[in-house]
Amino acid sequence: MRGRATLHAWLMLGPAMLLLVAFTHYPVVATLWHSLFSTPRGARPARFVGVENYAALADDPVFWQALSNNLLYALGTVPLSIGLALAMALWVNGRIAGRAALRVAYFTPTVLPMIAVANLWLFFYTPDYGLVDRITGFLFGWGPTNWIGSQETALGAMMAIAVWKEAGFFMIFYLAALQAIPPVLYEAASVEGASRFTVFRRVTLPLLGPTTLFIAVNALINGFRLVDHIIVMTHGGPDNATALLLTYIYEVGFRFWDTAQASALTMVLLLILALVALAQFTLLGRRTHYR
Amino acid sequence: MSATTLTPTAAAQPRLRLGLWLETLAAWTLALAWAAPLLYALWAAIHPTGYATRFELFAPLTLDNFTAAWNAAPFPRYMLNSVLLVTFVTGCQFVLGTLAAFVFARSSSRWAGVLFAIVLVQLMIMPDMLIVENYRTMRALGLVDTVVGIGLPYVASAFGIFLLRQTFKQVPKELEDAARIEGCGTFGILWKVYVPLARPTYLAYGLTSVSYHWNNFLWPLVITNTVETRPLTVGLAVFASTDQGIDWAIISAATLLTSAPLLLAFLLFQRQFVQSFMRAGIR
C-alpha cells in the first residue's frame, strides 16, 4: 500500500520535474560546460579551451559596457519603479477623486506587450515632432533631441520605458499589503493626534517592509530580463550605449552564432542572479515568503 | 489612507486641503503619462495617416488603418499561433502544476522538501535567460520553429506549482477523509476536492500566465523563423521593422490589434484581473 502511494507520487511529480530540469537546471550546467569549449564551425568540432572564452570576455570592451549599462539599468529602474509603485498604491487606496480610473491607467501597461509598447514609444521619442520633444520644448524650450539616437540619452530613454511598464504591476503588491494593514492601527494613530506624514512614516512604511523587499528582488530580476523593447528599438545601439547582458547574449549567440562566447556571457548573468538570490536569502531569512 | 479619520484643527485645515489638491494633481498627471501611449495609439489608428502628428479635435474618423494593417501582414495567422501557444502552455501548466503541487502539499517527507527547493530555483533563473542552451536542446529535439518548441520550456512552471501548493495546503484534512470514506481514490480526491476549492487560484494563475505568454518576445523570436509559427509579438516586430517605413497610423493600428484581446479582457474584467495579479503576488 505504502509502495503504491510512493509510486503514485513519483508518477505525479515526474512530468513536471523532468521538464523543469530539462529547461532550467540542465541548461545551467550545460552552459557552464559549453562555455569551456570553442564554438564548432563547419567541419571543425568544438574543442576544450578552458577559460579562453572568459579571457576573451575580459578583453571585450563591449562586454564591460553591457555589464555597466546593465547595472545602471537595474539600479536606476529598481528604486524609481518602487517609489512610483508606492505612490500609486497610496493614491489608489486613498481618498483621491476617480480612484478606479487611476487604477486602470496605472495598471494598463502591465497587460500590453512590450513590443507593441516599443512601437508607440518609438514615436514618442521621435526628434522634433514626437510627444516627448513637444512637451520638453513647450515646458523648457529645449530644441529637438534624438532621445534614442544619441549616446547620452538612449539608456535613460530605455529605463523610462521599463519603469513605465513595471510600476503599475508593483503597485498591485503594495495595494494588497496596504489593504492588509489593520484599520485599528490608524485609529490608534489618530487618537494620538499623529499627522498624516507621521502615520505614513511610523505605521504604514514599516509594515510595507517585506513587500518592498519582495518587489525589489522582482524588480532586480526584471532589470536583467526586461529587454524586449531594447532589441527592437535600438538593437543595443547607438554604439552599444543600450547594450545589456541579455541583448548582448542574443547578439553574440544568434547574430554572430558564437555560442561558446554566448555561453560564457550567460554564466556571468547567472552569477549575478545567484548573488541576488543569495542576498535575498540572507535578508529575508528562511522563514518568510517561500514557506 | 482611507482610515485616517483625523479631525485637524481649524488652522491646519486649508494646508491639508492644499496638500490633497496637489496630490490629486500629481496622481492625475502620472495617470495621464501612463495612459498616453495607448491614447495616442487610439488616436493615430482611427484617423487618416496625416493626423498621426497633428491633433485636431474634428479630424475625420476611419477604420482603414486596421484593414490596411490586417492585410499588410499575415496577422490572422499570427493571431492563431498566439492562441495555440497560450492554450498549449497554460493548459499544460495547469495539468503538470496540479499534479506536482498535490504531491508537494500532502507529502511531509524530506525528499519532497528537497525536490520543492529544486523547483523553486526557477523563480530566480527563468528560461528567458537560458535561450542559448535551450535553443541547442530544441534543435536536438527537432522542435525549432514549432509552436510546441516555443511553449515547452515554460510548461513546467515553478511559480504555478508554488501557487497551487500554497492553496492545496489550506484544504482541510477532514474533506479529504470524507471523500476517502465515500470511496474516492487519490485522483478522485484531487479532482473532486482539491481542484474545485482552488478555482480562484487557477483563475489568478491563468490570467498571469496567459498575459505573460501572449506578450513574450525574445524566446519566440529566437526559436521561430516562419509565418506558420510566429506569435503576434514576433509578427508585429517583423512587420514594424520591414518595409512599413514610418506610417504611424498603420503601425498604431497593428499595435492595437496585437494588444486588443488582452486589453479588452482586462478592461471588461479589470476587477478580477487586478485581484488575480494581487492573489498571484501574495506569497
Side-chain angles (χ1 to χ4, degrees), chain B residues 11 13 16 19 27 34 39 43 50 69 80 83 109 141 163-164 170 192 201 241 243 251 261 269:
Chain B
Q13 194 96 46
L16 203 71
W34 251 241
L39 294 179
W43 167 272
L80 176 69
V83 170
S109 86
L141 294 174
L163 220 55
L164 286 168
Q170 285 157 16
K192 290 193 180 128
T201 306
S241 69
D243 49 335
I251 289 187
F269 305 105

Short mmCIF file of all heavy atoms in Angstrom, two decimals, chain B residues 11 13 16 19 27 34 39 43 50 69 80 83 109 141 163-164 170 192 201 241 243 251 261 269:
data_model
loop_
_atom_site.label_atom_id
_atom_site.label_comp_id
_atom_site.label_asym_id
_atom_site.label_seq_id
_atom_site.Cartn_x
_atom_site.Cartn_y
_atom_site.Cartn_z
N ALA B 11 -6.81 75.67 11.96
CA ALA B 11 -5.67 76.28 11.28
C ALA B 11 -5.04 75.34 10.27
O ALA B 11 -4.55 75.77 9.24
CB ALA B 11 -4.64 76.72 12.32
N GLN B 13 -6.51 73.01 8.58
CA GLN B 13 -7.43 72.55 7.53
C GLN B 13 -7.06 73.01 6.11
O GLN B 13 -6.98 72.17 5.21
CB GLN B 13 -8.85 73.02 7.86
CG GLN B 13 -9.91 72.32 7.04
CD GLN B 13 -10.50 71.15 7.79
OE1 GLN B 13 -10.83 71.25 8.96
NE2 GLN B 13 -10.62 70.02 7.14
N LEU B 16 -4.05 71.22 4.75
CA LEU B 16 -4.36 69.83 4.45
C LEU B 16 -5.06 69.73 3.11
O LEU B 16 -4.78 68.87 2.29
CB LEU B 16 -5.24 69.26 5.56
CG LEU B 16 -5.20 67.74 5.69
CD1 LEU B 16 -3.86 67.31 6.26
CD2 LEU B 16 -6.33 67.27 6.58
N GLY B 19 -2.71 70.27 0.33
CA GLY B 19 -1.90 69.06 0.14
C GLY B 19 -2.65 68.02 -0.67
O GLY B 19 -2.13 67.45 -1.62
N ALA B 27 -1.30 62.74 -8.96
CA ALA B 27 -1.82 61.42 -9.30
C ALA B 27 -2.38 61.40 -10.72
O ALA B 27 -2.13 60.47 -11.49
CB ALA B 27 -2.91 61.02 -8.30
N TRP B 34 0.91 57.70 -17.93
CA TRP B 34 0.86 56.23 -18.04
C TRP B 34 -0.10 55.79 -19.15
O TRP B 34 0.10 54.76 -19.78
CB TRP B 34 0.46 55.63 -16.69
CG TRP B 34 1.60 54.93 -16.04
CD1 TRP B 34 1.63 53.60 -15.71
CD2 TRP B 34 2.87 55.47 -15.65
NE1 TRP B 34 2.86 53.31 -15.15
CE2 TRP B 34 3.62 54.42 -15.10
CE3 TRP B 34 3.45 56.73 -15.74
CZ2 TRP B 34 4.93 54.58 -14.63
CZ3 TRP B 34 4.75 56.91 -15.26
CH2 TRP B 34 5.46 55.85 -14.72
N LEU B 39 -3.46 56.01 -25.48
CA LEU B 39 -4.37 57.02 -26.01
C LEU B 39 -3.88 57.51 -27.37
O LEU B 39 -4.66 57.68 -28.30
CB LEU B 39 -4.47 58.21 -25.03
CG LEU B 39 -5.11 57.88 -23.69
CD1 LEU B 39 -5.14 59.12 -22.80
CD2 LEU B 39 -6.53 57.36 -23.89
N TRP B 43 -5.72 57.32 -31.04
CA TRP B 43 -5.89 58.50 -31.88
C TRP B 43 -5.35 58.23 -33.29
O TRP B 43 -6.04 58.46 -34.29
CB TRP B 43 -5.17 59.70 -31.26
CG TRP B 43 -5.05 60.84 -32.21
CD1 TRP B 43 -4.04 61.05 -33.10
CD2 TRP B 43 -5.99 61.89 -32.41
NE1 TRP B 43 -4.28 62.17 -33.84
CE2 TRP B 43 -5.48 62.71 -33.45
CE3 TRP B 43 -7.20 62.22 -31.82
CZ2 TRP B 43 -6.15 63.84 -33.89
CZ3 TRP B 43 -7.87 63.34 -32.27
CH2 TRP B 43 -7.35 64.14 -33.29
N GLY B 50 -2.41 61.38 -42.15
CA GLY B 50 -1.94 62.74 -41.98
C GLY B 50 -2.13 63.30 -40.58
O GLY B 50 -1.41 64.20 -40.16
N ALA B 69 -3.56 47.32 -41.98
CA ALA B 69 -2.60 46.56 -41.18
C ALA B 69 -2.90 45.07 -41.25
O ALA B 69 -2.00 44.23 -41.43
CB ALA B 69 -2.63 47.04 -39.73
N LEU B 80 -3.63 33.26 -34.68
CA LEU B 80 -3.89 31.83 -34.45
C LEU B 80 -2.73 31.19 -33.69
O LEU B 80 -2.92 30.46 -32.72
CB LEU B 80 -4.12 31.12 -35.78
CG LEU B 80 -4.31 29.60 -35.70
CD1 LEU B 80 -5.63 29.26 -35.03
CD2 LEU B 80 -4.24 28.96 -37.09
N VAL B 83 -2.79 32.17 -30.09
CA VAL B 83 -3.86 31.48 -29.36
C VAL B 83 -3.44 30.03 -29.08
O VAL B 83 -3.59 29.53 -27.95
CB VAL B 83 -5.18 31.53 -30.15
CG1 VAL B 83 -6.22 30.62 -29.53
CG2 VAL B 83 -5.70 32.96 -30.21
N SER B 109 7.60 14.24 3.59
CA SER B 109 8.92 13.60 3.58
C SER B 109 10.00 14.62 3.26
O SER B 109 9.75 15.66 2.66
CB SER B 109 8.96 12.47 2.57
OG SER B 109 9.29 12.96 1.29
N LEU B 141 16.00 18.17 -30.38
CA LEU B 141 14.69 17.53 -30.35
C LEU B 141 13.93 17.73 -31.65
O LEU B 141 12.83 17.22 -31.82
CB LEU B 141 13.85 18.08 -29.19
CG LEU B 141 14.34 17.80 -27.77
CD1 LEU B 141 13.48 18.54 -26.75
CD2 LEU B 141 14.32 16.30 -27.48
N LEU B 163 2.26 28.32 -6.32
CA LEU B 163 0.96 28.93 -6.04
C LEU B 163 -0.09 27.88 -5.68
O LEU B 163 -0.83 28.01 -4.71
CB LEU B 163 0.52 29.70 -7.29
CG LEU B 163 -0.14 31.04 -7.13
CD1 LEU B 163 0.71 31.97 -6.32
CD2 LEU B 163 -0.40 31.63 -8.51
N LEU B 164 -0.13 26.80 -6.47
CA LEU B 164 -1.13 25.76 -6.24
C LEU B 164 -0.84 25.00 -4.95
O LEU B 164 -1.76 24.62 -4.22
CB LEU B 164 -1.18 24.80 -7.43
CG LEU B 164 -1.86 25.39 -8.66
CD1 LEU B 164 -1.62 24.52 -9.88
CD2 LEU B 164 -3.36 25.55 -8.42
N GLN B 170 -4.07 24.58 2.21
CA GLN B 170 -5.13 25.12 3.07
C GLN B 170 -6.40 24.28 3.03
O GLN B 170 -7.36 24.57 3.74
CB GLN B 170 -5.45 26.56 2.65
CG GLN B 170 -4.37 27.53 3.11
CD GLN B 170 -4.35 28.78 2.28
OE1 GLN B 170 -5.28 29.07 1.55
NE2 GLN B 170 -3.26 29.53 2.37
N LYS B 192 -12.03 15.93 -7.17
CA LYS B 192 -13.33 16.32 -6.61
C LYS B 192 -13.21 17.23 -5.40
O LYS B 192 -14.16 17.93 -5.05
CB LYS B 192 -14.12 15.07 -6.22
CG LYS B 192 -14.59 14.30 -7.45
CD LYS B 192 -15.62 13.27 -7.09
CE LYS B 192 -16.06 12.50 -8.31
NZ LYS B 192 -15.97 11.06 -8.13
N THR B 201 -7.48 30.36 -7.47
CA THR B 201 -6.05 30.31 -7.78
C THR B 201 -5.82 30.00 -9.25
O THR B 201 -4.94 30.57 -9.89
CB THR B 201 -5.34 29.26 -6.91
OG1 THR B 201 -5.65 29.53 -5.55
CG2 THR B 201 -3.84 29.29 -7.11
N SER B 241 9.43 46.46 -38.52
CA SER B 241 10.82 46.73 -38.86
C SER B 241 11.07 46.67 -40.36
O SER B 241 12.07 47.16 -40.84
CB SER B 241 11.73 45.74 -38.14
OG SER B 241 11.56 44.46 -38.68
N ASP B 243 9.33 46.89 -44.43
CA ASP B 243 9.00 47.93 -45.42
C ASP B 243 8.13 49.07 -44.94
O ASP B 243 8.01 50.06 -45.62
CB ASP B 243 8.30 47.25 -46.59
CG ASP B 243 7.18 46.34 -46.10
OD1 ASP B 243 7.28 45.91 -44.95
OD2 ASP B 243 6.24 46.09 -46.85
N ILE B 251 1.04 51.41 -38.13
CA ILE B 251 1.74 50.74 -37.03
C ILE B 251 0.92 50.79 -35.75
O ILE B 251 0.83 49.81 -35.01
CB ILE B 251 3.14 51.37 -36.83
CG1 ILE B 251 4.04 50.96 -38.00
CG2 ILE B 251 3.76 50.94 -35.50
CD1 ILE B 251 5.47 51.37 -37.87
N PRO B 261 -6.83 41.63 -27.72
CA PRO B 261 -7.50 40.58 -26.93
C PRO B 261 -7.27 40.72 -25.42
O PRO B 261 -8.22 40.69 -24.64
CB PRO B 261 -6.86 39.29 -27.46
CG PRO B 261 -6.40 39.64 -28.83
CD PRO B 261 -5.99 41.07 -28.76
N PHE B 269 -12.88 42.80 -17.44
CA PHE B 269 -12.81 42.11 -16.15
C PHE B 269 -11.74 42.71 -15.27
O PHE B 269 -10.99 42.01 -14.62
CB PHE B 269 -12.49 40.62 -16.37
CG PHE B 269 -13.44 39.93 -17.29
CD1 PHE B 269 -13.07 39.62 -18.58
CD2 PHE B 269 -14.71 39.60 -16.85
CE1 PHE B 269 -13.95 38.98 -19.43
CE2 PHE B 269 -15.59 38.96 -17.70
CZ PHE B 269 -15.21 38.65 -18.99
#
